[in-house]
């Protein structure tokens, strides 16, 4: 009876974390330990940059981006910054930053080796997905449909 009575309480109190939260923690923890090149939103965004570039390239090939190749660097930089600050705002404004940092801090996997393994693994996984999208020639619908 004790376990069943506490079951709803456990589900409401226990926070649900995912692999993106772990990557965020790895980036923030690396940043806290002196590596100024990596932050939580930066770690997530670095991996998502590869699929974002393929997506923008496909939009450019369909001529759905105004001004074509002339301002393509602005599209990439603007998308990257919007993604970075969107992730940062989500974690800071919702309080998820504190919950993630408190949950993972002090665990046996809270070492620089594990943190870099998560960040590099995330980047490799995103790169593999990007290569699959590019090799399988997954495309967007024709312009008439969009």
């Amino acid at each position: 009876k004790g376990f069943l009575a506490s079951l709803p309480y456990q589900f409401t109190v226990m926070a649900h974390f995912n692999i993106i939260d772990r990557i965020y923690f790895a980036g923030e923890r690396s940043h806290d330990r002196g590596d100024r090149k990596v932050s939580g939103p930066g770690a997530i965004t670095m991996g998502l940059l590869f699929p974002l570039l393929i997506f923008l390239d496909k939009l450019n090939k369909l001529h759905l981006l105004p001004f074509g190749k002339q301002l393509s660097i602005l599209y990439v930089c603007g998308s990257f910054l919007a993604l970075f600050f969107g992730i940062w705002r989500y974690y800071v404004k919702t309080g998820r930053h504190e919950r993630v940092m408190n949950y993972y801090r002090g665990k046996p996997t809270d070492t620089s080796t594990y943190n870099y393994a998560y960040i590099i693994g995330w980047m490799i996984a995103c790169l593999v997905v990007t290569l699959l999208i590019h090799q399988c020639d997954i495309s967007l619908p024709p312009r008439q449909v969009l």
Side-chain angles (χ1 to χ4, degrees), residues 5 7-8 28 49 53 70 116 130:
L7 195 59
E28 284 293 310
L49 183 63
L53 289 173
Q70 291 86 5
Y116 282 114
T130 302

Side-chain angles (χ1 to χ4, degrees), residues 23 43 46 113-126:
I23 295 163
M46 279 190 292
T113 306
Y114 275 103
N115 291 338
Y116 282 114
Y118 274 102
I119 293 169
I120 292 169
W122 168 246
M123 290 175 52
I124 290 171
C126 288

Side-chain angles (χ1 to χ4, degrees), residues 25-36 38 115-116 119:
F25 172 78
E28 284 293 310
R29 196 65 164 162
S30 297
H31 185 75
D32 291 345
R33 290 184 175 160
D35 187 3
R36 299 291 178 204
V38 181
N115 291 338
Y116 282 114
I119 293 169

Side-chain angles (χ1 to χ4, degrees), residues 51-112:
L52 181 66
L53 289 173
I54 292 294
F55 178 69
L56 288 173
D57 182 52
K58 289 188 182 296
L59 286 177
N60 190 31
K61 286 180 182 174
L62 289 172
H63 304 289
L64 292 174
L65 296 177
F67 307 115
K69 295 229 183 227
Q70 291 86 5
L71 296 177
S72 61
I73 190 74
L74 290 177
Y75 292 126
V76 172
C77 292
S79 301
F80 183 78
L81 288 173
L83 189 61
F84 179 88
F85 286 114
I87 292 169
W88 172 80
R89 185 172 189 269
Y90 169 74
Y91 274 92
V92 171
K93 294 289 184 184
T94 62
R96 194 162 181 93
H97 170 82
E98 292 299 322
R99 291 193 307 266
V100 167
M101 296 304 285
N102 291 336
Y103 180 77
Y104 288 112
R105 190 178 291 129
K107 300 267 185 191
T109 58
D110 183 16
T111 63
S112 295

